[in-house]
Structures are given as structure tokens and as C-alpha cells.
Amino acid sequence: MTETRHLASIGDIERGTWDSLVPAPCFYQSHGWLAGQERPDFATATYTVVSSGSTLLAATPSYDFPAENAPPLPPVAADREVLRVGTRTGYHNEFLLAGTEEEQRDALAESVEGLADHAARLGSDALLFDFLTTDSLRLLAGLFPVRAQLRSAEAVVHNEEGTFESYRRLLGRNVRKRDYEVRKFEQAGLRLETAPLSECVDELAPLIGQTMDRYDASLDLAEIRTFLTVQAEHLDGLSTVFRVVDEEGGLVGGHVSFAWREMLYARVAGFDYTRTRDAYEYFNAVYYGPLRHMEQHGLDTLHLGLSAVQAKVRRGARLHPVWAAVLPLPLVRGAGLTRDVAADQALADSVRAEAGGGMDEKEWELGRVTPL
């Protein structure tokens, strides 16, 4: 006998119980990350769990945004009042399920039905699963009629042998250029040091502000300090800050990352542009230093997220499609997947043209994306 519950806080479920469902690619659905994302002033979070006795079978967060805070909707969800399911916005999203394939399908169906009831009580007319993986999209579409669109490409360095030398082999003809970037950094008199996030909040926050200003994504300094402080509170043991320092130990920049299972997640970087030396500081702090660190700590995958795909592919990343999937309410059972195939292919072609590589043809053959 299974039971579906809706919890008001991630703190209402034991950390180890929740995290037992969270595989390596799903750091943004881990207990610690979700705890740091709870912002009742920004969005109301709910955690829907399906269990059988003491065994957790399915779990997912959902977010009800007030209109003034709501992220932009993808076109497939336009003119809908949605409840966002999974990661809050802009992060890798897949279903957290346990058991056999049949048990997982049953648990997912029960979870989605519970989410639909919750959404209806909130006045929503659709569930939005944004930045969903292809496998999760296909699984969902095998249970319910889904409207979907290709959303973006997620960049990941898969360094299966786990050494810096094996990473260099991934680069192929780009290896000389990347070795030059490492040498230029070292010849500029710069080096990397590591520290936990809790030791770096005050020094790093203004640098992150500088970088956000540089790329027209300005955020109040107090807000930057707040989100770093909250992340340190919940995730300090998983954090590594790669500090770029000069000959005197002065801070030039830094990059915040988190380790989860076998993966390292690149999060946010900031630099003092009055002290940088045109020495590829960013790439050393976000790629090369972390990859050496990963070798020392048994990690083999570097998650780089969305955007700037060309730079990421040139430094060894592979690109994976992510989707927006909408379930209109009231919910109807039955397999189905509706897409604008031409629009999805046009976006895939645009990503391919920008990236210049890094796309497995089988994975990006969008006609193969059918319900499971």
C-alpha cells in the first residue's frame, strides 16, 4: 500500500531518506541544495513524496511562484498558470524514483497525480517540468499526454578515467590551446588555492557582483552575500572554492563548486577585473584547477550547466538535450507526446552551429524521442 504526502519543508523529511533517491546527475534535487533554495518570500515550495511503509519510492519538489517573481515561461507553457515541478529554474531536472522499472512507473504516476491535485488546489491549470532530461520526458510521456519542446543543451565533461591526463586526451586537437591557457596562467604568477565556501563568503561576494555587472546580470551585493551564506550553511561540507591568488596571496578571483556523488558542479565565479592579467583566469578556476582537484578526490564528471556551449565544448564538454514538458490539467491518463518538430530541430541545429561539436548524433536525433 502506497501513500502520497505533500510536505511544507524539505526539513520535514530526513536528509538520508531523501538523498537515497538522488543519483550523481541530480545535485540540484539533493536535500542540501533544496534546503538552500527554500525562500518563502520568493516562491512557496512543496515536497511531494510517495512511500510504501518506510520505503521512499518517489520524491519531487514543486514551486508556486507569485506573478512578480515567476521566471519566464517557455512557449509551450505560454498562457498557462503553472506549478513548476522539479528543480526551481534553470537546472538539470529528472525524476527521483526507486525500485524496478514497473515500480518506478507506478510511483511516478502516483506522484504526478498527487502533484495535479496540489496544483488544482492552488488554481494552476498545468504542471511544468522544465529542463527535463530526455529519459524523464519519455517516461512521463508513456503515462500521460505531454506537450513538450526542446529547451536547451546541458554541458558536461565526462572524464571517465578520472585523471588530468585522461582529460587532456578528451580535447583532441584542442589540447595545445588548452595547455597554453594553463601555462599562461602559471607564467602570470597566479595560482589556485582551495577553501570551503564558509571561509570565502565576504571576500567572494563583491567579485561575483563585479562579474554579474560585467555580463548585465546585476544583483544586489546583500543578495549575493545572502545566497552564498545560505549555501554555506547547508552545503559547506560539499563545497570547494577555487581561489585565484597572485604572488602576494591577494585574491584575484574565485569559483564556487560543489561535489555530489562522482560529480563536481561548477556554480558561480567572480573576478576583480582591476587585478586580472589576461591569463585565462576563468578557465583555470572553473576547468583546469577543478579537474586536477577531481583527480585527487575520485570524481570523474564536471557539470557545467547551460549557455556558452562553444567555450565548454572546446574544453571537452559533451552536450545533452533538456526539455520543457507540460501536463495540462485536469490530468488524463494515456501515453502521448506532442511537439513542434520543426521548431525543436531548428533549435538543435542552432546549438550545433554554435557549439561546433560535442553532440552525440544518436542522442540528438530528435525523432527518436518517443514515449516509453
Side-chain angles (χ1 to χ4, degrees), residues 23 25-26 29 59-60 86-87 91-96 131-133 136:
C26 295
Q29 288 155 289
T60 188
T87 51
Y91 304 126
H92 178 101
N93 190 3
E94 65 180 87
F95 297 124
L96 306 183
F131 300 96
L132 197 64
T133 65
S136 285

Side-chain angles (χ1 to χ4, degrees), residues 5-242:
R5 292 176 293 150
H6 303 292
L7 309 176
S9 171
I10 192 68
D12 292 338
I13 189 167
E14 197 272 332
R15 185 169 186 154
T17 300
W18 181 281
D19 284 346
S20 68
L21 292 188
V22 183
C26 295
F27 167 69
Y28 295 120
Q29 288 155 289
S30 68
H31 194 284
W33 178 261
L34 294 174
Q37 296 290 296
E38 280 192 4
R39 291 277 304 274
D41 59 323
F42 192 68
T44 302
T46 300
Y47 305 87
T48 299
V49 298
V50 178
S51 55
S52 176
S54 60
T55 302
L56 190 62
L57 302 175
T60 188
S62 61
Y63 296 93
D64 179 31
F65 282 86
E68 63 270 19
N69 291 338
L73 289 171
V76 73
D79 301 321
R80 290 282 184 176
E81 295 292 333
V82 304
L83 177 68
R84 290 178 179 267
V85 182
T87 51
R88 196 168 75 180
T89 181
Y91 304 126
H92 178 101
N93 190 3
E94 65 180 87
F95 297 124
L96 306 183
L97 304 166
T100 65
E101 288 186 12
E102 182 177 356
E103 289 169 337
Q104 289 185 16
R105 289 174 67 89
D106 289 344
L108 177 59
E110 188 168 343
S111 175
V112 171
E113 288 166 351
L115 285 160
D117 291 341
H118 174 56
R121 288 193 294 271
L122 294 172
S124 300
D125 63 7
L127 301 176
L128 171 61
F129 304 80
D130 211 1
F131 300 96
L132 197 64
T133 65
T134 299
D135 286 346
S136 285
L137 170 63
R138 297 184 66 203
L139 182 58
L140 184 66
L143 296 168
F144 304 98
V146 176
R147 301 175 185 176
Q149 72 173 96
L150 184 64
R151 191 72 158 101
S152 189
E154 182 177 44
V156 182
V157 176
H158 301 277
N159 185 23
E160 294 178 359
E161 295 180 44
T163 69
F164 193 76
E165 185 56 36
S166 63
Y167 165 69
R168 292 181 70 253
R169 291 197 293 271
L170 287 178
L171 298 175
R173 65 184 182 181
N174 284 320
V175 67
R176 290 186 179 181
K177 293 180 181 178
R178 308 315 151 211
D179 285 348
Y180 170 75
E181 293 172 354
V182 174
R183 288 196 307 273
K184 186 78 177 290
F185 180 81
E186 294 170 347
Q187 291 167 358
L190 301 174
R191 68 182 189 278
L192 288 176
E193 298 178 347
T194 60
L197 178 57
S198 59
E199 296 180 8
C200 304
V201 170
D202 289 338
E203 65 175 6
L204 199 55
L207 276 61
I208 291 172
Q210 281 194 42
T211 297
M212 296 183 77
D213 289 345
R214 190 181 183 97
Y215 293 99
D216 298 320
S218 298
L219 191 64
D220 182 75
L221 181 58
E223 180 70 13
I224 297 172
R225 187 174 283 110
T226 295
F227 78 67
L228 292 177
T229 300
V230 171
Q231 288 179 7
E233 177 183 349
H234 293 284
L235 295 161
D236 206 41
L238 305 178
S239 71
T240 301
V241 176
F242 295 89

Side-chain angles (χ1 to χ4, degrees), residues 317-347:
R318 306 296 296 177
L319 302 180
H320 307 289
V322 288
W323 303 81
V326 173
L327 286 183
L329 302 179
L331 202 61
V332 176
R333 287 296 295 262
L337 180 58
T338 302
R339 296 193 292 118
D340 184 334
V341 176
D344 288 346
Q345 190 60 56
L347 178 56

